[in-house]
Structure formats: C-alpha cells, structure tokens
Amino acid sequence: MSLQTAFYKTPIGTAKIIGDENGIQSITVLDEDFSGNLDTVNTKVPYYLQDCITQLEQYFSGERVNFDLKLNPQGTTFQKKVWEELLNIPFNKTRTYLEQSKALGDVKAIRAVASANGKNPIWIIIPCHRVIGSDGSLTGYAGGIWRKKWLLAHENPVKQQSLF
C-alpha cells in the first residue's frame, strides 16, 4: 500500500501526518494554513492514521503524556538510534544535547546527535523538543523556537497563576 497523508489542526499549526500500515513515517507542522477543509479531510483518514490523530488530540487537550503508535521513521542507522533515545525522555522532562550523547554512549558525538535530532521526521511523538542547550537555552528546533517553547510549556504541569 502506498503512503497516505492526513492533516490535523493543532494549536501550533497544521500537522501533516504521513504513513501507511507499517507505521507513521513523518509528522511535520506546517507554517502556512492548510487551505482545505480539515473536517472533511479528517473524516477520510485511513484507519492506520486515525489513531495518530486521536492521540495528538489527546496530547494537545492535556489528556495524554505518552504515545502508543507504530512508528516507521526513515533515516540512517545512526539517526534511528538517536530518535529511539529521544523516546526515553519522559514527558515534562528535558535533556541536554550532551546528556543525549552520553545516553547514546559517545560524548564526542554531540554534533552528530544534534544533527540527527534536527532531522527527526516525527515531531512531537519523537520528542526532539525536549532537548535543550547545556545552559538551559532553547537551542534549535526545526519547527521554530516558538513551537519548542510552546510544547515545553504545554508539558509543564505547573501553570503560572495570577496573584490577583
């Protein structure tokens, strides 16, 4: 079966989801608005992409902290190893690029790890947004720093409350 595409409107843009019966190959968030009627598109989503949309809806509504989807990202062996390790970063936690390199067993691979992190084809579900600079800065995110900041704030259970 050929790859299928579905679109889902999120608070940070329209998610473009590509996959087939072998799993989700990519999720990217588009900067431009999707010109089609998303409600119409979503009713025709292949069954193997429907669960992804359901789980993304749950994530954005605050009901889901872990994803349970069949993933099939396309990349080199090294990239896939980096992406697998990203899945070990818990919800509402961050890890530095150095810590990520250490977890992969090679401190000297920090640049290669950062590069592979930036090529993650399955945004949000493979949580590359949870990797930050050693000084705590929100360095690099293919979707833009504002999206990384939004996702990390969304995952933080401590919401700023007004004093008045």
Side-chain angles (χ1 to χ4, degrees), residues 38-94:
L38 291 176
D39 294 330
T40 302
V41 173
N42 285 343
T43 60
K44 298 176 184 174
V45 173
Y47 72 93
Y48 44 81
L49 296 182
Q50 289 174 351
D51 197 31
C52 181
I53 289 175
T54 298
Q55 290 190 34
L56 284 170
E57 285 174 343
Q58 293 167 341
Y59 170 82
F60 282 110
S61 70
E63 300 169 32
R64 176 173 289 277
V65 298
N66 295 305
F67 292 95
D68 181 24
L69 295 167
K70 187 175 182 180
L71 304 179
N72 187 21
Q74 303 299 299
T76 67
T77 302
F78 179 77
Q79 287 170 336
K80 289 178 182 181
K81 184 178 172 186
V82 171
W83 302 334
E84 277 288 320
E85 187 56 39
L86 287 170
L87 292 169
N88 293 325
I89 305 173
F91 183 87
N92 186 36
K93 300 290 182 199
T94 57

Side-chain angles (χ1 to χ4, degrees), residues 75-141:
T76 67
T77 302
F78 179 77
Q79 287 170 336
K80 289 178 182 181
K81 184 178 172 186
V82 171
W83 302 334
E84 277 288 320
E85 187 56 39
L86 287 170
L87 292 169
N88 293 325
I89 305 173
F91 183 87
N92 186 36
K93 300 290 182 199
T94 57
R95 191 182 277 177
T96 66
Y97 288 100
L98 179 60
E99 290 169 332
Q100 193 70 357
S101 297
K102 285 179 182 176
L104 288 160
D106 187 356
V107 174
K108 295 178 184 171
I110 190 166
R111 287 180 183 256
V113 167
S115 176
N117 199 55
K119 291 179 173 70
N120 170 21
I122 304 179
W123 296 9
I124 302 166
I125 296 178
I126 298 178
C128 56
H129 61 277
R130 295 181 187 150
V131 182
I132 60 173
S134 292
D135 62 357
S137 62
L138 302 184
T139 59
Y141 188 63

